[in-house]
Amino acid sequence: MSDWTDKRPMSPHTSIWKWHLTMASSILHRVTGVGNYLGIFIVVAWLFATAVGPDYYEPLSAVVGSIWGQLILFGFSLSISYHLLNGLRHLMMDTGTGYKPKFASFTAGFVFVLALALAVGIWIFSGLVPGVDPLNMTGA
Amino acid sequence: MSKESIRTPLGKVRGLGSAKHGAGHFIAQRVSAIALVFLVPWFLISLIGAVRGGYDNALGWIADPINAVLVLLAVGASLYHMRLGMQVVVEDYISKHSTKNILLILNTFICVVLFVAAAYAVLKVAAI
């Protein structure tokens, strides 16, 4: 028996906590939210550059089209698809369902896999990857 | 002091705590999320088509009235949603009063500037 006498609830001891899927899911939801915050700068820059003219649009296209630009864009896609799908999970949990530990862990893991599949699927099937265009989206 | 209270006497005297605005924030975050569930997939699919055909295609995409309205809805709802989200992140991790307030104001400014820039861009192209 410890000599802890304070009746108030204690915070979880972070040093003796192990990783759970639901915990990783919660943290990743916040991380991807911040990621999307940064990513929308690219979207607004693209809209702005399109409105101002080719002098702005073409350099931006070149940066976004470079290998680093494409990597960042893919990361942004992953971030959006995760936050969107896990957001749906959150909306479901807001109704009070899905809190049983096993089911909550399952949906957390399911969203990880689905988000990755969605982002990769978008890139492959929309013809964004050079040389990969199974649905002939680019009309080549 | 009732037996059930978990607040310390010092905490009661200081009077800090809920500002009674939490429910409104909670609801606004979720209502904008519901809008984004529909807007974001449309935006992504439509945008991929728009970036493919070069500058003229991008211009034509924004100029379409339906696209213009939906782009502003998608960007507007996103910025509203992310302002609420970032506010919570700042409130959670930054305890120093001055830093926290500066970041909260900066968060609002960033979201408003991004929205005005997007609105200017879309209206400049679409509202001719």
Side-chain angles (χ1 to χ4, degrees):
Chain A
M1 198 64 197
S2 77
D3 49 6
W4 186 268
T5 54
D6 198 327
K7 288 279 186 287
R8 294 175 299 166
M10 285 190 291
S11 292
H13 295 282
T14 43
S15 59
I16 56 165
W17 266 62
K18 69 167 185 176
W19 278 87
H20 293 271
L21 269 178
T22 45
M23 182 178 158
S25 160
S26 174
I27 293 169
L28 198 57
H29 194 72
R30 181 162 280 196
V31 169
T32 52
V34 175
N36 293 345
Y37 194 108
L38 301 173
I40 204 167
F41 280 79
I42 304 170
V43 174
V44 174
W46 184 84
L47 288 170
F48 196 78
T50 310
V52 176
D55 289 349
Y56 283 72
Y57 185 90
E58 299 302 345
L60 184 72
S61 274
V63 172
V64 172
S66 71
I67 182 72
W68 292 110
Q70 293 288 291
L71 276 174
I72 288 170
L73 219 54
F74 180 70
F76 186 29
S77 319
L78 260 180
S79 180
I80 291 175
S81 60
Y82 183 79
H83 201 82
L84 183 68
L85 292 170
N86 201 49
L88 285 170
R89 179 171 164 270
H90 273 237
L91 287 173
M92 175 194 76
M93 293 180 96
D94 284 338
T95 68
T97 50
Y99 280 93
K100 279 190 180 149
K102 270 198 172 154
F103 187 69
S105 291
F106 168 74
T107 54
F110 187 60
V111 166
F112 284 133
V113 176
L114 209 61
L116 184 65
L118 181 65
V120 171
I122 287 173
W123 277 69
I124 289 177
F125 288 106
S126 64
L128 287 174
V129 185
V132 182
D133 190 10
L135 299 180
N136 195 27
M137 296 295 281
T138 53
Chain B
M1 192 175 164
S2 75
K3 262 188 170 173
E4 292 79 29
S5 175
I6 60 167
R7 298 193 69 180
T8 61
L10 180 62
K12 286 200 162 180
V13 170
R14 280 183 173 157
L16 297 174
S18 165
K20 311 293 183 200
H21 290 298
H25 185 285
F26 180 95
I27 293 166
Q29 184 90 71
R30 271 127 194 104
V31 171
S32 54
I34 291 168
L36 288 168
V37 165
F38 298 97
L39 290 167
V40 168
W42 170 82
F43 186 72
L44 290 183
I45 293 166
S46 195
L47 185 69
I48 288 169
V51 297
R52 187 169 284 132
Y55 179 71
D56 290 337
N57 192 42
L59 210 58
W61 180 70
I62 299 174
D64 181 272
I66 303 283
N67 288 346
V69 170
L70 285 172
V71 166
L72 284 184
L73 283 174
V75 172
S78 297
L79 290 167
Y80 181 64
H81 184 79
M82 76 185 213
R83 179 181 165 271
L84 293 170
M86 186 57 81
Q87 181 191 336
V88 176
V89 172
V90 169
E91 286 168 350
D92 278 357
Y93 300 134
I94 314 293
S95 53
K96 196 179 171 212
H97 224 68
S98 52
T99 314
K100 178 166 71 183
N101 285 331
I102 288 167
L103 288 175
L104 289 176
I105 292 170
L106 194 65
N107 178 36
T108 301
F109 284 0
I110 286 172
C111 293
V112 171
V113 166
L114 286 177
F115 182 73
V116 172
Y120 164 79
V122 171
L123 294 179
K124 180 174 186 284
V125 174
I128 299 169

